[in-house]
Amino acid sequence: QTPLLEVHNLQTGFKIGKEYFNAVESVSFSINRKQIVGIVGESGCGKSVMSLSIMHLLPQGIGKIRGGEILFEGQDIVDYDEKKMNGIRGKDISMIFQEPMTSLNPVFTIGYQITEVLLNHQDITKNEARTKAVTLLKNVGIPRAEQIVDEYPHQLSGGMRQRVMIAMAIACQPKLLIADEPTTALDVTVQAQILDLLKNIQEVNDMAIMLITHDLGVVAEICDVVLVMYAGKIVERATVEELFENPKHPYTKLLMEAIPKMEEERERLATIEGLVPAIKDMPAVGCRFANRCPKAMPECMQVTPRLGESAAEHEVACLLYEESWPKEERVGAR
Ligand code: SF4
Ligand code: MG
């Protein structure tokens, strides 16, 4: 069976001055139907840029897909125009963001905004859409849905607003939901509830989720497979069990140590020393993590580690592991 989403060699550039620099560099991965795939990394590592590339929502005139393929149900959507993308966005692929207020319109009621989505993609009457909207709000655990449907976004708490966003996103039963830091702005208790809700609607609706987060703790809760991204590249891919049992990449190991252990710690954003290099300062060869890596070796500056593209359960791009370092390149480096 073909995967739901297959990304091959995606390169997304951002314009700085007159030149483009890649924020996403040769990224390949796939998401199967009903799978929950976590994309983890610090801010600035390219996770959001990658999801905006898939949705064709890159900032116009600044961000651009410069190469690669994005196959959705086997169809390459890279060259789709706005009209074709409008047929996909909100219907086959939906997206939710960290701050629901940026995607909810403050001047319209919640019911209006959900019915708009439904009327856009489905052949139903306004009344039917409204009834559906109430059902959707109930399905995402919103109490007093019959009243809330006529309220405005600012009348709700952050957690309730995120539930409304989820209701809107699943209104047309998309096959893929892209969730970009969906719980980051919420407190711990609400965060856990939203993750439960996502897991639950994934099962009920048979949809796949691409969950973008800086927090490996979030990934552990609901994901099947994890991709760790650093500086625009995938540096490790594994099933969630395998990643937690046997993390390989030094960056992944540091992310593990940064998982908040106590509830209070979650308030602080865990950090790893040093910064992700700016996209215009990426080294042309060598490992992009070398300037922060506690295990760095001289050859890490000369040889670019590769992530295997086999169907293996666990892949890593780090010269500490033989498979990332092609034999023919080993001779010259030592
Ligand atoms: Fe560290 Fe070298 Fe591995 Fe990069 S390739 S993560 S610098 S050990
Ligand atoms: Mg982001």
Side-chain angles (χ1 to χ4, degrees):
Q1 213 188 11
T2 45
L4 182 62
L5 179 79
E6 261 184 289
V7 173
H8 289 300
N9 248 322
L10 181 68
Q11 314 226 13
T12 301
F14 270 80
K15 209 173 186 176
I16 300 175
K18 282 190 174 138
E19 248 183 288
Y20 278 98
F21 295 90
N22 282 352
V24 170
E25 179 68 57
S26 309
V27 161
S28 300
F29 67 94
S30 60
I31 299 181
N32 293 329
R33 281 162 211 281
K34 307 179 197 179
Q35 207 175 31
I36 306 188
V37 176
I39 317 258
V40 191
E42 292 156 289
S43 65
C45 70
K47 349 182 259 302
S48 298
V49 175
M50 190 178 69
S51 61
L52 295 175
S53 307
I54 295 169
M55 296 294 273
H56 285 216
L57 290 175
L58 292 164
Q60 274 198 0
I62 303 169
K64 182 167 102 181
I65 296 177
R66 303 174 74 204
E69 295 174 337
I70 300 170
L71 306 176
F72 184 71
E73 297 192 300
Q75 289 274 338
D76 191 355
I77 62 171
V78 163
D79 293 325
Y80 272 26
D81 58 16
E82 258 314 281
K83 192 161 164 256
K84 275 184 157 176
M85 279 314 292
N86 276 332
I88 291 182
R89 277 197 300 254
K91 182 171 165 282
D92 293 319
I93 312 177
S94 287
M95 193 161 178
I96 56 173
F97 299 92
Q98 176 170 341
E99 185 35 75
M101 275 316 258
T102 58
S103 352
L104 288 173
N105 193 325
V107 306
F108 293 117
T109 64
I110 282 149
Y112 178 85
Q113 299 187 54
I114 300 179
T115 52
E116 276 299 283
V117 177
L118 289 165
L119 293 169
N120 241 332
H121 293 291
Q122 293 178 4
D123 190 18
I124 53 174
T125 67
K126 273 193 175 165
N127 271 338
E128 287 166 337
R130 191 191 152 88
T131 309
K132 269 200 171 182
V134 173
T135 309
L136 280 162
L137 290 175
K138 287 181 181 163
N139 290 350
V140 296
I142 292 193
R144 303 183 297 109
E146 287 89 353
Q147 278 158 268
I148 300 272
V149 74
D150 292 319
E151 291 183 4
Y152 291 87
H154 72 266
Q155 293 175 271
L156 302 181
S157 69
M160 285 296 152
R161 282 201 291 261
Q162 195 54 284
R163 284 178 195 267
V164 170
M165 277 309 303
I166 294 171
M168 271 172 75
I170 63 169
C172 300
Q173 294 183 292
K175 293 163 187 155
L176 175 65
L177 174 70
I178 300 178
D180 191 349
E181 302 275 6
T183 62
T184 304
L186 307 172
D187 70 46
V188 190
T189 327
V190 182
Q191 175 168 340
Q193 290 165 358
I194 295 291
L195 289 176
D196 277 351
L197 172 65
L198 284 175
K199 178 84 190 137
N200 186 267
I201 56 172
Q202 180 269 330
E203 278 166 15
V204 173
N205 293 314
D206 278 345
M207 68 180 183
I209 300 180
M210 178 168 137
L211 178 71
I212 298 170
T213 175
H214 65 277
D215 184 350
L216 261 180
V218 164
V219 157
E221 302 279 337
I222 66 167
C223 293
D224 305 312
V225 171
V226 190
L227 311 173
V228 181
M229 273 189 89
Y230 185 79
K233 292 187 172 190
I234 296 174
V235 296
E236 188 160 8
R237 171 171 61 75
T239 61
V240 84
E241 295 82 9
E242 172 62 20
L243 192 83
F244 277 83
E245 252 166 56
N246 183 20
K248 288 183 170 177
H249 200 283
Y251 180 60
T252 309
K253 291 182 184 176
L254 289 173
L255 283 178
M256 296 257 173
E257 286 168 23
I259 298 176
K261 306 238 164 18
M262 292 173 299
E263 300 226 325
E264 312 89 74
E265 280 187 44
R266 271 190 191 272
E267 307 294 315
R268 280 191 295 123
L269 214 64
T271 48
I272 298 171
E273 227 170 279
L275 288 173
V276 186
I279 57 172
K280 61 179 189 6
D281 301 328
M282 290 299 175
V285 286
C287 173
R288 294 182 168 191
F289 190 53
N291 65 331
R292 299 170 77 188
C293 179
K295 292 269 165 65
M297 313 168 281
E299 45 270 43
C300 298
M301 312 289 254
Q302 299 151 32
V303 181
T304 309
R306 298 184 194 174
L307 187 79
E309 276 193 59
S310 68
E313 291 256 296
H314 197 166
E315 299 273 8
V316 63
C318 165
L319 300 183
L320 294 171
Y321 303 88
E322 269 188 21
E323 65 269 28
S324 312
W325 191 354
K327 271 205 183 71
E328 59 278 16
E329 285 180 43
R330 249 178 256 182
V331 190
R334 289 251 190 214

